[in-house]
Amino acid sequence: MDTSALKGFIDNLTSNNGLKLRRAIGVGLFLFNKLKGKAPPSLLDRLKEFDKLTTEKKLAILREVRRFLEESERKTQELKREPKPVELFFKPIDDVKLLSKTEKQTLKSVGVKTLYDALFYFPERYEDKRVNECIKTAKAGRKVALRVRVREVRRLKDERYTLEVICEDGTGTLSLKFRYKNPSFAFRAFRKGMEIVVYGKLKSFKGEKYMVHPEIKSPKSEELGKILPVYYVRKKGELQEISSKTKQKRVRKALSLLSQKLYRFFPEYMPEEILKRYNFPDIALCIRELHEPRSTEPEDLNAFRDPYHKRVIYDELFLFQSALLLKKMEIKTSEAPRIEIRRDEIERFISSLPFELTRAQRRAIEEILSDISRPVPMNRLLQGDVGSGKTLVAIVSALAVAKSGYQVAVMVPTEILAHQHYKKFKELLSREGINVALLTGGLTPAQKRSVYRHVREGNVSVLVGTHALIEDKVEFNKLGLVVIDEQHRFGVLQRQVLLRKGKGLYPHCLVMSATPIPRTMALALYGDLDVSVIDELPPGRKSVKTTLFFESEIDEVYKRVEQELKKGGKAYVVYPLVEESEKLSLKSATEEYEKWKKLFPDRKVLLLHGKMPDREKLAVMEEFKRDGDILVSTTVVEVGVDVPEATVMVIEDAHRFGLSQLHQLRGRVGRSDREAYCLLVVPDRLKEEKSDTLKRLRVFVKTTDGFKIAEEDLKLRGPGELIGVSQSGYFGFRVANLARSSDREMLERARQDAKELLSKNPSLEGLEELKKLILYKYKDKLELSFVA
């Protein structure tokens, strides 16, 4: 009898909680003879005593025997590995002969493009449909599959449910509750004595076990008797007309077939020492086990804590970090302009400023000057809290580069910010004889042509602008430094375009993040950069006092705004975009604007919203700075907008914003030595709701430290909030998720391991499969060319 037949024999005995086992005799002796000389002695000893034990103990031993059989089967299968070169798995899914045309179409509709994508398109969760429990022993609070007989069907006059089906299995009674408008069909569907399998969450109330709207299966259903993988199939695109149930079945069938037939051909690409260090299973086994779990419990699978998930998560993080580190190494081998630092001029400039620099600003400036004085490209992330003076650090860096005869490009995300930076740079640098120019989409064609010419001829030393800077028409004479103000936007892709404008030399690059980024996210997003942190605020800056109000207390908010206006302050009032509909948000902002005008008839109330053309937005901001009192805005008042007289920020529907976003908004006030306030307004219903929303907002009210807030945001909302896109899209992660703390810890280890490996073996010699895989996943995203 072979291993799979023995497993079948055991499964037969253990099904229905050992119903057949109660009547069987001689089982222990039979298994003892089959496993003599193969199984561990302790297990053989228990098999000798088997027939004298209780059913519960017998079941436990049989499960252990099954696990042993699984293990030995796996070991023999491991020996049957026939690895093929990894590039064979990069072929388009259309070229895979094992699949039907329909299956290929379905896989493509969920974003699977190649055979590699298919094998690594792992389930998002698992359902335990093994039917190996009975009503009596099944524990409430878990999802289970139970085989039962229908005893009675009855209508209910309950508010919640209209139908009840009473079932039994010889060990207890189970009630199935349904809510149907017209339940009469159920009397035909559920006949007395009929055998069914029900799958759902088991609940218990006053000793009664019940399920609400469980799945009902025929005992012969092929879904039963196993742990069923459930795939993510909700992608939009082609095949929208088929139901997600059908899509799920097709994806499951196709991936089951591919993983079974091909897993042993997938090559092991990880270095031997890493696999040993973490005791990781072979990648081929991960592919097989995650698509068709055989020896892992669903609780472990769904918590991503089984060895197969751990291995795949580690690999995703390791490949990504290796790619970032390779990019970093590649940049370090390029040649950059060597900036001659004129210390005396820089010191003179700093001492002429009307304020003292903080120690942290000085430290960041030193790190930057030290980097740019070498002929190796600087690639540095400058991060600090809102209002910590990052722009000034960038201005001093620009001064050093311009004085050395090179040009500086400063790229910011919005037109308003571009104008503001331009003013600041010009005000401080023009007195040093440095020409600063502005380039945005809002300029006339003639103005643009003039800027292009002066930049090309080298008359402009500092060019500030929006994405217009990366257009082909922009040609620098001697580009030495690129400063990018990120505002949660990714660097890597846009950075590349700008850095190519260095004409043979690779310009130095300084990336400024608008809000602090937690360490793990900084590693994930900017693992190719060195980091400078400004961790103190300029002296005299008072921290903004934050208070949370419910809508029923709104009069108190109006009173506070009135007090600030009387003292000569200005106020922002911000509304979130209502969902995604611009029309809705426009209407609400316009209505609210009218409301604030009526509330403050003798004050100048202005309106700013996302639909306005940039020129109009600028005009409104200028007017608000000049003589406005209240600015009602739908868009996030742009990052970095600087109105020192603004002392109060009212944020309506504050629960709709992420913490980092709220922190960003709060940073728009308190930009002088005057006391400033941030007033959050939320609906009264939040008092009753048992959500984390209020908890989150209370964290925000208590702390003004942007780094703590960013960490909290990461824990509560995951990284999507910080980076603005899906992780799978950007990082290429299928299973790793940086919202899980265990994965964030794993990221640190993976980075350390990747660093260690590349320091010893920078060209990944002898690790051809790993090299090919990194290139396949990240060559285009990171423009990796280290072996291309």
Side-chain angles (χ1 to χ4, degrees):
M1 193 185 252
D2 65 6
T3 310
S4 48
L6 271 179
K7 286 196 308 191
F9 169 71
I10 290 170
D11 290 345
N12 190 21
L13 288 174
T14 51
S15 66
N16 277 349
N17 220 42
L19 217 57
K20 290 183 181 166
L21 183 59
R22 294 165 211 274
R23 296 193 293 273
I25 43 174
V27 172
L29 190 62
F30 170 75
L31 287 172
F32 176 86
N33 289 327
K34 286 283 173 198
L35 299 175
K36 208 159 57 178
K38 297 171 192 162
S42 58
L43 183 55
L44 292 171
D45 287 346
R46 285 202 291 285
L47 285 172
K48 278 184 197 162
E49 301 296 312
F50 187 90
D51 294 323
K52 301 172 194 165
L53 303 173
T54 63
T55 306
E56 284 301 309
K57 285 183 178 162
K58 284 180 180 175
L59 281 169
I61 293 172
L62 287 178
R63 287 192 191 110
E64 199 182 333
V65 171
R66 199 183 191 294
R67 276 199 294 275
F68 165 74
L69 292 170
E70 285 278 3
E71 200 54 45
S72 46
E73 185 181 41
R74 179 178 316 148
K75 281 174 184 153
T76 34
Q77 296 213 324
E78 275 177 25
L79 301 175
K80 289 183 190 164
R81 289 281 262 126
E82 294 176 46
K84 302 276 187 243
V86 75
E87 62 271 26
L88 293 182
F89 294 87
F90 301 156
K91 67 174 176 186
I93 203 75
D94 279 331
D95 300 348
V96 178
K97 295 195 172 77
L98 286 168
L99 300 176
S100 70
K101 192 179 170 190
T102 313
E103 285 167 336
K104 290 172 187 175
Q105 247 182 329
T106 311
L107 286 177
K108 283 197 293 191
S109 79
V110 297
V112 168
K113 296 187 182 112
T114 63
L115 181 52
Y116 171 83
D117 292 350
L119 292 177
F120 285 78
Y121 194 82
F122 294 119
E124 58 173 352
R125 60 189 170 83
Y126 298 84
E127 292 179 347
D128 186 357
K129 295 198 171 168
R130 289 175 298 185
V131 204
N132 54 3
E133 293 198 62
C134 62
I135 296 172
K136 186 180 177 180
T137 57
K139 289 196 168 49
R142 284 176 41 232
K143 279 189 159 188
V144 285
L146 298 169
R147 186 175 180 147
V148 294
R149 253 184 326 281
V150 175
R151 190 175 81 196
E152 186 187 347
V153 184
R154 58 188 186 202
R155 282 178 192 267
L156 294 178
K157 289 194 165 55
D158 188 334
E159 281 175 17
R160 286 174 303 173
Y161 310 113
T162 57
L163 178 81
E164 181 176 39
V165 180
I166 311 280
C167 304
E168 57 194 7
D169 71 348
T171 73
T173 307
L174 175 73
S175 159
L176 312 178
K177 298 178 190 284
F178 300 92
R179 180 174 183 82
Y180 293 121
K181 259 189 184 159
N182 179 10
S184 49
F185 78 94
F187 290 88
R188 293 191 301 280
F190 293 103
R191 294 180 311 282
K192 190 176 175 178
M194 169 184 184
E195 287 220 343
I196 53 175
V197 174
V198 294
Y199 175 77
K201 189 170 186 177
L202 188 65
K203 301 181 177 193
S204 173
F205 182 66
K206 290 185 177 170
E208 178 206 31
K209 286 187 174 175
Y210 68 99
M211 286 182 180
V212 177
H213 278 281
E215 280 179 38
I216 310 290
K217 300 277 174 206
S218 145
K220 290 183 184 142
S221 165
E222 58 183 40
E223 279 189 14
L224 300 173
K226 54 183 160 192
I227 297 168
L228 204 65
V230 180
Y231 294 90
Y232 182 85
V233 295
R234 293 183 292 282
K235 287 247 171 72
K236 297 261 190 296
E238 45 188 321
L239 299 184
Q240 272 166 289
E241 67 287 350
I242 69 166
S243 73
S244 55
K245 216 173 189 175
T246 308
K247 217 173 184 181
Q248 181 67 248
K249 270 186 181 158
R250 285 186 196 170
V251 167
R252 190 184 290 138
K253 185 174 167 238
L255 295 182
S256 165
L257 175 72
L258 290 177
S259 60
Q260 274 181 26
K261 295 270 187 202
L262 303 176
Y263 78 95
R264 60 200 179 89
F265 299 111
F266 198 87
E268 183 51 83
Y269 49 84
M270 282 301 243
E272 188 67 32
E273 68 265 26
I274 287 180
L275 297 179
K276 279 189 181 140
R277 184 178 308 155
Y278 299 111
N279 200 11
F280 280 146
D282 188 314
I283 192 63
L285 286 173
C286 296
I287 292 170
R288 191 191 74 182
E289 277 289 329
L290 291 177
H291 288 295
E292 293 254 317
R294 302 168 188 210
S295 61
T296 317
E297 284 305 304
E299 290 80 35
D300 292 336
L301 287 164
N302 285 325
F304 297 91
R305 59 171 179 244
D306 59 282
Y308 309 106
H309 270 122
K310 279 183 179 163
R311 158 85 206 252
V312 171
I313 289 167
Y314 175 89
D315 284 16
E316 289 187 341
L317 299 168
F318 178 85
L319 290 169
F320 181 63
Q321 286 301 322
S322 300
L324 285 176
L325 291 165
L326 284 163
K327 183 73 202 169
K328 192 173 186 170
M329 283 157 54
E330 188 185 310
I331 288 170
K332 295 277 184 241
T333 57
S334 315
E335 197 187 339
R338 187 197 285 269
I339 305 298
E340 207 177 302
I341 309 295
R342 301 184 180 179
R343 289 274 166 191
D344 47 343
E345 292 192 21
I346 289 170
E347 280 309 322
R348 200 190 64 239
F349 172 76
I350 289 174
S351 54
S352 74
L353 294 169
F355 44 79
E356 283 275 312
L357 290 186
T358 62
R359 282 194 312 276
Q361 280 174 310
R362 285 243 176 215
R363 190 178 60 231
I365 289 170
E366 273 314 309
E367 288 169 345
I368 292 165
L369 296 182
S370 150
D371 277 0
I372 62 178
S373 63
R374 294 196 290 264
V376 174
M378 168 176 81
N379 221 17
R380 192 168 275 284
L381 169 68
L382 174 64
Q383 67 158 338
D385 213 335
V386 176
S388 59
K390 293 185 290 276
T391 312
L392 198 75
V393 172
I395 289 174
V396 174
S397 312
L399 170 76
V401 172
K403 286 284 183 191
S404 181
Y406 283 92
Q407 290 168 302
V408 180
V410 182
M411 185 160 99
V412 295
T414 67
E415 191 117 353
I416 289 183
L417 208 48
H419 277 262
Q420 194 173 292
H421 269 15
Y422 167 64
K423 274 191 172 153
K424 222 174 204 170
F425 273 76
K426 193 178 165 76
E427 178 196 328
L428 292 174
L429 295 178
S430 56
R431 58 179 195 224
E432 297 291 320
I434 291 168
N435 275 333
V436 181
L438 174 71
L439 178 64
T440 65
L443 299 183
T444 66
Q447 286 170 321
K448 280 183 187 167
R449 280 197 299 276
S450 161
V451 173
Y452 296 151
R453 195 184 86 238
H454 287 299
V455 171
R456 194 171 54 245
E457 290 171 3
N459 309 328
V460 166
S461 294
V462 178
L463 180 63
V464 179
T466 52
H467 294 304
L469 294 191
I470 59 180
E471 287 168 7
D472 293 340
K473 291 176 188 158
V474 181
E475 202 186 311
F476 289 88
N477 186 314
K478 269 176 92 176
L479 182 59
L481 172 68
V482 169
V483 177
I484 299 178
D485 204 332
E486 286 274 296
Q487 192 210 344
H488 292 190
R489 316 267 164 115
F490 286 125
V492 185
L493 306 177
Q494 261 137 3
R495 270 187 261 157
Q496 293 311 321
V497 185
L498 202 42
L499 292 171
R500 277 197 220 110
K501 295 181 180 280
K503 290 189 174 168
L505 287 178
Y506 200 106
H508 298 286
C509 177
L510 180 66
V511 178
M512 300 198 288
S513 93
T515 45
I517 302 165
R519 189 186 137 64
T520 43
M521 288 311 294
L523 271 185
L525 290 173
Y526 304 107
D528 56 331
L529 276 65
D530 300 308
V531 184
S532 292
V533 178
I534 306 183
D535 48 12
E536 57 184 314
L537 290 178
R541 274 274 167 95
K542 291 203 169 94
S543 68
V544 181
K545 288 187 174 158
T546 310
T547 320
L548 182 66
F549 292 95
F550 290 101
E551 271 168 4
S552 52
E553 307 165 307
I554 194 79
D555 289 343
E556 181 57 33
V557 173
Y558 300 146
K559 208 156 53 189
R560 294 273 192 99
V561 172
E562 177 66 59
Q563 284 166 359
E564 282 308 299
L565 295 178
K566 277 184 180 154
K567 288 188 218 160
K570 293 175 187 279
Y572 291 109
V573 182
V574 177
Y575 290 86
L577 284 175
V578 179
E579 302 307 333
E580 289 299 292
S581 161
E582 279 290 335
K583 286 191 190 107
L584 269 174
S585 72
L586 210 92
K587 175 170 159 284
S588 70
T590 318
E591 275 176 17
E592 296 300 331
Y593 163 62
E594 293 301 335
K595 181 183 88 181
W596 284 88
K597 276 205 322 203
K598 278 189 193 122
L599 284 165
F600 296 93
D602 357 343
R603 298 286 182 180
K604 189 171 201 178
V605 183
L606 299 163
L607 173 67
L608 183 73
H609 60 70
K611 278 283 170 113
M612 287 177 169
D614 282 334
R615 211 167 265 163
E616 209 178 313
K617 279 188 201 165
L618 282 166
V620 171
M621 280 310 297
E622 284 308 316
E623 195 179 349
F624 178 57
K625 264 184 177 172
R626 201 172 51 247
D627 58 358
D629 295 305
I630 297 173
L631 179 67
V632 177
S633 160
T634 58
T635 51
V636 176
V637 181
E638 304 289 354
V639 171
V641 168
D642 200 4
V643 182
E645 301 78 22
T647 55
V648 61
M649 163 68 71
V650 178
I651 305 172
E652 292 263 11
D653 282 337
H655 61 298
R656 286 174 172 271
F657 292 99
L659 293 185
S660 298
Q661 233 178 338
L662 287 172
H663 186 59
Q664 194 55 59
L665 286 170
R666 176 165 62 185
R668 299 308 108 227
V669 295
R671 301 180 83 83
S672 65
D673 52 4
R674 293 161 66 167
E675 201 68 75
Y677 305 90
C678 176
L679 316 177
L680 310 177
V681 184
V682 297
D684 287 72
R685 64 177 164 77
L686 290 185
K687 286 182 202 168
E688 274 73 66
E689 283 181 14
K690 285 183 182 165
S691 68
D692 287 339
T693 313
L694 276 183
K695 203 158 70 186
R696 209 160 55 87
L697 292 172
R698 293 206 164 107
V699 166
F700 177 73
V701 168
K702 279 205 294 272
T703 174
T704 52
D705 178 336
F707 286 93
K708 278 191 190 139
I709 285 169
E711 280 292 354
E712 203 55 39
D713 220 9
L714 180 62
K715 273 185 228 149
L716 291 163
R717 285 169 73 113
E721 188 58 36
L722 282 163
I723 60 183
V725 299
S726 78
Q727 301 178 69
S728 60
Y730 183 67
F731 303 129
F733 296 167
R734 276 250 73 87
V735 189
N737 177 358
L738 298 175
R740 279 194 295 266
S741 58
S742 55
D743 291 14
R744 294 203 292 278
E745 282 161 29
M746 187 88 88
L747 173 73
E748 302 264 359
R749 286 206 295 274
R751 181 171 177 87
Q752 208 34 55
D753 295 343
K755 220 173 179 172
E756 221 171 89
L757 174 69
L758 290 167
S759 66
K760 286 188 257 173
N761 184 357
S763 56
L764 296 177
E765 250 170 76
L767 294 167
E768 292 311 310
E769 303 298 342
L770 177 63
K771 197 191 280 191
K772 287 182 229 169
L773 199 51
I774 293 172
L775 275 179
Y776 167 73
K777 288 187 78 158
Y778 295 108
K779 183 172 185 280
D780 295 341
K781 278 197 177 104
L782 296 176
E783 303 210 338
L784 273 180
S785 57
F786 78 109
V787 283

